[in-house]
């Protein structure tokens, strides 16, 4: 426990620790900044003395001598999107294990805000994880020239990347819907600046050709439940019996929007999401979705970043690809057969509605 004999408010310094441990102040400094350069027994004695005296290292002061702040930045596209919760948790736990503090930056789905925040933060962090960055490729490369950078959910030819196997996930979703008798799938697109959005649409086009399923795209829409509700309006104008949404939030919004218009999911329309956020297992009906390894994404990207900070080469020539899996729940079902195959029966029974009510 801290030294109780020291007057209240008097700060313990590196010199106090050195005197008590019978070593030089420089040895104390190395014990905390470069422990591998200090004898293990000496380093342990210094840590015990520091703990007893209540000494705490100053990361900014240490940065002056080591050029390290022991801080990394994690930039996410939207802090209100629950998909980032497990990504952040995975990143923070790996960073903490490496004695790094994580600075969280919310880009608010804006490439301009993201770039400005990264530029302000760059001088105070040792490395950066960009999760679902909305910046251009050239902007990311510029950042990577100044600090170690790992990009999450995006592939760049010359920057270390961690991505999920979205093509495989889309293929499994299309196979599942095809097995249920659906021969048309509508993809509800997310942000145009989102790299996974383009990958998922191209993967669905390819899967559709191979499985002889017709596909189309509507959007883009905001990757939120409100965006999903707006998509539900367009689905009424351009009906479908099977929908693959850009993410789970949009899928949940589509279910809510269709339900308010009297359209049954999955009786009239089957809906599949992407990510497997916590709400996917709570919404009614429970959402069928392509599950991404969210915690593993954050932890893998951060672990790679820390090795780069320590001097390891960053780029291996290809992205690290993490597996996905299809989680089948209650929002998909066999296509409801109807005499007219051109238009789903629920569209012929209902007029196209007006604007959806505003959600609280």
């Amino acid at each position: 426990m801290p030294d109780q004999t020291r007057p209240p408010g008097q700060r313990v310094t590196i010199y106090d620790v050195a005197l008590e441990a019978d070593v030089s102040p420089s040895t104390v400094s190395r014990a905390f900044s470069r422990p591998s350069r200090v004898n293990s027994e000496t380093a342990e004695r210094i840590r015990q003395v520091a703990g007893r005296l209540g000494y705490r290292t100053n990361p900014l002061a240490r940065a002056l001598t080591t050029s390290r702040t022991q801080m990394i930045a994690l930039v996410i596209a939207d802090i209100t999107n629950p998909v980032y919760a497990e990504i952040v948790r995975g990143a923070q736990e790996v960073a903490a294990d490496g004695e790094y503090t994580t600075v969280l930056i919310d880009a608010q789905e804006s490439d301009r805000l993201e770039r400005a925040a990264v530029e302000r933060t760059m001088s105070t962090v040792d490395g950066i994880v960009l999760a679902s960055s909305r910046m251009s490729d050239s902007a990311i490369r510029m950042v990577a020239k100044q600090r170690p950078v790992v990009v999450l959910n995006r592939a760049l030819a010359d920057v270390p990347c961690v991505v999920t196997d979205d093509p495989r996930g889309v293929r499994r979703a299309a196979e599942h819907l095809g097995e249920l008798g659906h021969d048309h799938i509508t993809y509800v697109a997310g942000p145009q600046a989102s790299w996974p959005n383009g990958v998922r649409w191209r993967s669905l086009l390819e899967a559709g050709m191979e499985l002889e399923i017709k596909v189309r795209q509507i959007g883009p829409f905001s990757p939120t439940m409100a965006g999903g509700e707006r998509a539900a309006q367009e689905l009424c104008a351009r009906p479908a019996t099977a929908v693959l949404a850009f993410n789970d939030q949009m899928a949940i919004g589509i279910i809510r929007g269709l339900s308010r218009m009297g359209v049954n999911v999955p009786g009239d329309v089957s809906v599949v999401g992407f990510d497997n956020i916590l709400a996917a297992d709570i919404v009614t009906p429970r959402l069928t979705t392509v599950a991404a390894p969210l915690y593993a994404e954050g932890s893998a990207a951060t672990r790679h970043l820390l090795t780069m900070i320590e001097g390891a080469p960053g780029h291996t020539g290809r992205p690290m690809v993490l597996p996905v899996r299809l989680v089948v729940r209650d929002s998909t079902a066999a296509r409801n057969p109807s005499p007219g195959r051109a238009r789903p029966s629920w569209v012929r029974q209902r007029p196209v509605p007006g604007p959806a009510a505003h959600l609280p």
Side-chain angles (χ1 to χ4, degrees):
M1 62 186 293
D3 186 0
Q4 301 295 327
T5 64
R6 183 172 297 276
Q10 184 174 338
R11 183 168 173 241
V12 178
T13 70
I14 196 172
Y15 300 99
D16 298 319
V17 176
L19 181 63
E20 183 74 14
D22 194 25
V23 296
S24 67
S26 61
T27 301
V28 176
S29 177
R30 285 195 300 274
F32 288 104
S33 62
R34 293 287 191 274
S36 61
R37 298 184 180 181
V38 179
N39 177 277
S40 59
E41 293 181 1
T42 302
E44 178 61 26
R45 185 169 78 252
I46 290 172
R47 284 192 291 268
Q48 290 179 358
V49 170
R52 187 170 70 251
L53 296 180
Y55 173 73
R56 295 292 183 271
T57 58
N58 184 328
L60 295 181
R62 180 171 58 191
L64 296 176
T65 57
T66 66
S67 74
R68 299 275 186 87
T69 63
Q70 296 298 119
M71 294 191 293
I72 63 171
L74 172 59
V75 185
I76 61 176
D78 180 6
I79 200 169
T80 66
N81 189 335
V83 74
Y84 293 109
E86 284 299 296
I87 291 176
V88 171
R89 183 183 296 275
Q92 284 188 321
E93 290 190 2
V94 170
D97 288 344
E99 299 185 351
Y100 276 80
T101 298
T102 305
V103 178
L104 187 63
I105 297 175
D106 175 21
Q108 301 177 49
E109 291 287 353
S110 166
D111 60 333
R112 179 182 59 82
L113 293 178
E114 180 178 358
R115 185 164 186 172
V118 168
E119 289 176 350
R120 286 194 304 268
T121 311
M122 202 179 308
S123 62
T124 62
V125 298
D126 298 331
I128 302 171
V129 175
L130 297 174
S132 303
S133 177
R134 302 302 187 232
M135 292 192 295
S136 66
D137 290 355
S138 59
I140 293 175
R141 291 189 179 99
M142 188 69 69
V143 174
K145 290 179 180 178
Q146 301 174 68
R147 283 288 185 275
V149 169
V150 175
V151 179
L152 189 58
N153 290 328
R154 183 166 172 176
L156 286 177
D158 47 3
V159 179
C161 310
V162 178
V163 299
T164 54
D165 193 356
D166 283 4
R168 175 60 180 165
V170 170
R171 171 75 183 214
R172 285 293 300 115
E175 289 174 343
H176 171 64
L177 292 171
E179 290 165 357
L180 293 174
H182 298 279
D183 53 11
H184 290 70
I185 301 175
T186 296
Y187 176 67
V188 181
Q192 287 182 311
S194 167
W195 184 83
N197 181 65
V199 170
R200 291 167 190 175
W201 169 236
R202 291 190 296 271
S203 299
L204 184 59
L205 282 172
E206 182 177 337
M209 287 188 292
E210 294 178 355
L211 300 172
E212 298 183 350
I213 296 175
K214 294 181 180 180
V215 300
R216 68 175 180 187
Q217 178 179 209
I218 62 172
F221 297 95
S222 171
T224 62
M225 283 190 283
E229 290 227 2
R230 286 190 290 273
Q233 295 291 317
E234 188 162 339
L235 284 170
C236 281
R238 305 175 63 187
T241 64
V243 172
L244 174 63
F246 167 71
N247 67 7
D248 286 347
Q249 285 205 106
M250 293 176 70
I252 292 170
I254 289 168
I255 292 173
R256 293 178 63 178
L258 291 176
S259 177
R260 289 184 176 187
M261 292 180 284
V263 180
N264 179 265
V265 175
D268 296 317
V269 183
S270 288
V271 177
V272 179
F274 227 101
D275 293 329
N276 197 32
I277 62 175
L278 178 63
D281 201 31
I282 299 174
V283 66
T284 302
R286 297 183 311 142
L287 182 65
T288 294
T289 182
V290 178
L294 303 175
Y295 180 92
E297 290 182 50
S299 60
T302 304
R303 191 173 295 110
H304 189 41
L305 180 68
L306 297 188
T307 64
M308 293 171 60
I309 293 172
E310 293 299 325
H315 186 51
T316 60
R318 62 181 59 186
M320 178 188 299
V321 181
L322 301 180
V324 299
R325 60 190 177 90
L326 180 68
V327 179
V328 178
R329 297 193 178 101
D330 305 328
S331 66
T332 51
R335 174 175 175 156
N336 186 14
S338 60
R341 298 283 291 180
R343 290 170 62 84
S345 58
W346 58 267
V347 176
R348 293 194 298 275
Q349 296 168 4
R350 301 176 180 87
V352 176
H358 177 70
L359 289 178

